[in-house]
Amino acid sequence: MRPPQVALALAALAWEAGRVVPVESLLARIWGEAVPPGARRTLHTVITRIRHDVLADDGAVVRRVGGYLLDVKESAVDVLCFRGLAKEAAAAPDPAPPLGEALALWRGDPLTGLPGEWAERARHRMRDERKETQLRWARTVTGSDPVAAATALSPLAEEHPLDELLAAALIEALHACGRTAEALAHFARVRRTLAGELGVEPGTSLQQVHRMLLRSDGAAEPVRPVPLQLPVGLRHFVGRSAELARLAAITADEHPAAAAVCAISGPPGVGKSSVALRWAHLQRNRFPGGQLYADLSTVDPADAAVVLPRFLAGLGVPEAQVPSGFEAQIGLYRSLLADRRVLVVLDNAHGASQVRPLVAAGSGCLTLVTSRSELSGLAVTAGAHLLQLDVMPDADAHHLLAAWLGQARLAAEPAAADLIIRRCGRLPLALAIVAAQLSRRTDLPLAEVAADLEQTDTDLEPFAHSDPAIDLRRVFWRSYRELSAAGARLFRRLGQHPGPHLSLSAAASLAGLPVEHTRELTAHLSGANLVETHPPGRLHLHALLRVYAVEKGLSADSLAERQAAVRRLLDHCLHSAGAAGALCYPHRDGLPLAAPEPGAVVERFADHAEALRWYADESVAVPALLAMATGAGLDRHAWQLACSFAEFMQRRGLWEETLRVHAVALPAAQRLGDSLGEAHCRNNTARALVRLGRDREAVEQFERAIELYEDLGEPALQAYVLLGLAGPLSRERPSRALGPTLRARELFLQAGDSVAAARALNNAGWLRAHEGEYEAALDACRRAQRILADLKCPDGEGHAWDSIAYILDARGDTAGAVAGFERAAELFHGCDDLHPAAETLVRLGETHVRAGDPAAAAAAWQRAADFHEALGDAQADRVRVRVAALRAPQAVGARRTAGR
């Protein structure tokens, strides 16, 4: 291939096949530091030649943002094959065959004839990798074929005379094949070379081999090394201090009476292996007997027999002396560990049964297990300490990104960094994948990556990786594949729920299963760490697991199955809201709902408090549920769902949320031509606009709702709107609102709605009070209070008491006003109507201030601030400012008194 730029470009792309190579990197690898003018155009020509003249149909060079990617099979690139075989050997029962196969791929020097600094660096790296692989292969075969090992190592030792690990391996091989004199002579040569060139003595490992030679007196004995099998830990490990401290506490006893076992579990990608290896490396000096390590993800869940021979070999047992029977191997393994302090790390275990035969029994030993599954059985049978890992706290997630990218880069784009962390769901593996990509692209703005991650709501492609060990889909799949068919189906259904968490009944509705069967399946999902129970009694999927569940559903389930699940879920929400409303707001008429779909489970509530808790839990998902309904063409479900939650949302002061929800619900009702739904939506929208001070818009919505109800022949519903309309009118002039209020009362009386008529009577009294007609106002409000108390309408009675207290305060009856406000707040709080409760307490505080009792005023305002805070209302801060202003003079006065 000429010119050489074509070969260099192909080599540079093949070196990182399957990954994007930035254009700047390609230019530097081809031309070095002196990139000529026009090099980018030349690169385009070079890429075209590679596509058409070199690859043809054997692969493709793909243009990606910022660079190019060579898309070929791994088998087409010898360096990838070599590294893949070397990695395979690390997990193989017998690593010699894959290592030998990897070495057989070599044909002379790599990248022969290619010029430039990058090619030379790549050659040096590959020579080092080959040397390391040859060393691993020789150590593996020293016991079975020491002559071959010595033959392979001798020329390497000549080439690298200062490599002590290489020298130690050659000495062991020479000794094992009976050439102890040569082994001693080689040690002497290496010792002289180290002293002459570096001025140092041989290191510990080489001296240990020398002492073994001297003890052997010329007889070839197999070396029984202390096993040091821990893989390399993460370079960028941050956080997890509490978990590491707990692990350290388990081994704090220098003379333990029994072996310790600790099992770390958690969702896939949460960093279980990283935590285990971090702790193991930090504490390895506590285990002078060595460390044994096995990745059990590559082992049959029911078969630990393939691991035991590896462990026995690591403990110095020659292959010929390993018993053939599994039970005999367990016995020998336990005997060898009986008087040693050895750390055994069993990574990625499938379950407790796979682990039990491998647990170290020696009193000084620790077995550290990681698993995606809950290993409570191991706690029962082996006394294991259980440690559950969750996603990273925000601070640790920032530290992880900073470890990869530098604090300065994060500080330059803090909002983008926060968004990346949020989109990764604080999952360590997802964060590490994104951070690694960013670390290779120092010119890439964080904001651009954050924007790309926006698609993670529906797609895990941003977390794809050519290495299946860290590709997020593959990592999730390893947990998913362990599920039963029914469990996998439920997992896919849970992914369809758009909210942050859901109830068991909602899960049962999605799956179309009875609640008890769903409970059993969710227990299995929880045991596999694919679903959490958080908050208590609610099911939660990590955001990225939910996306994976959606992806699996799209590939495994038909469109009809997914649509049926959506309809069952929406029916569950609608009918459950109807049941909750009947308990919480018994004086409000419910919506006329169609019968629920078969398989939809309707919640049954024991009492008012349980129904309110359900409303609070479910309300966070209402906007997403409406989007789901309209997306599925279920417009009736959309507007009915919005209206089913309207009363709860308004009583909680969720005015902005009410507007957002009904901005979706109103067009849905209009698309159906459903005048009743449109009127309900306009009325609810108008009430929220009033509370936000947007009176002009509110009046327009109220007036249109009145027209619709009038056309429908619904006088009682029309009356409710007239009461709402009185609010913005009263802010202009109270007398303007009195007419609609009295008209509403007439309509309620005609409809036989005594509760609503009494509410209207109280509103009329309130309006008269603002006109200074205190006698008539007080009479109206007292009559309304008695009616509402008799009809057991606590929130309506609370409003009546609030009106009475206001009038009494205006007339100078402070004691009566205080008692009235206290009673109103008590009634509002009792029915969880916190917003009016807070407003009443503010008025109570103002009454105390006028009466000269700042301590009582501060106490009332503090309670009001607490209610506002419970609602997430910004009013909490404003009220607290008033509390602080009241208490400051009291504190000064107290200090002055103390100083007298």
Side-chain angles (χ1 to χ4, degrees), residues 6-22 26 47 50-51 54-56 58-64 67-74 76-80 466:
V6 176
L8 277 167
L10 180 60
L13 290 168
W15 187 262
E16 299 188 56
R19 292 183 295 182
V20 175
V21 182
L26 280 172
I47 295 296
I50 291 173
R51 284 171 173 156
V54 180
L55 293 176
D58 295 328
V61 178
V62 182
R63 186 74 165 94
R64 292 285 173 84
Y68 293 89
L69 175 146
L70 179 62
D71 185 8
V72 293
K73 294 179 180 178
E74 184 176 291
V77 183
D78 52 7
V79 69
L80 296 184
S466 57

Side-chain angles (χ1 to χ4, degrees), residues 723-763:
L723 278 187
L725 177 62
L729 295 180
S730 70
R731 280 203 273 262
E732 292 182 24
R733 193 169 68 251
S735 60
R736 280 201 64 197
L738 190 57
T741 302
L742 294 175
R743 175 58 181 157
R745 183 166 184 257
E746 290 175 12
L747 292 172
F748 284 134
L749 290 172
Q750 291 171 16
D753 191 339
S754 301
V755 168
R759 288 177 184 272
L761 179 61
N762 174 63
N763 287 9

Side-chain angles (χ1 to χ4, degrees), residues 327-359:
E327 292 299 327
Q329 290 176 5
I330 294 175
L332 177 58
Y333 172 65
R334 291 174 178 166
S335 298
L336 290 169
L337 296 183
D339 58 353
R340 303 190 193 187
R341 291 190 67 125
V342 174
L343 172 63
V344 179
V345 180
L346 304 174
D347 206 5
N348 297 310
H350 294 274
S353 60
Q354 187 188 35
V355 168
R356 287 190 187 99
L358 302 172
V359 170

Side-chain angles (χ1 to χ4, degrees), residues 760-775:
L761 179 61
N762 174 63
N763 287 9
W766 174 269
L767 292 169
R768 292 186 190 281
H770 280 77
E771 289 290 299
E773 302 174 21
Y774 294 127
E775 289 299 328

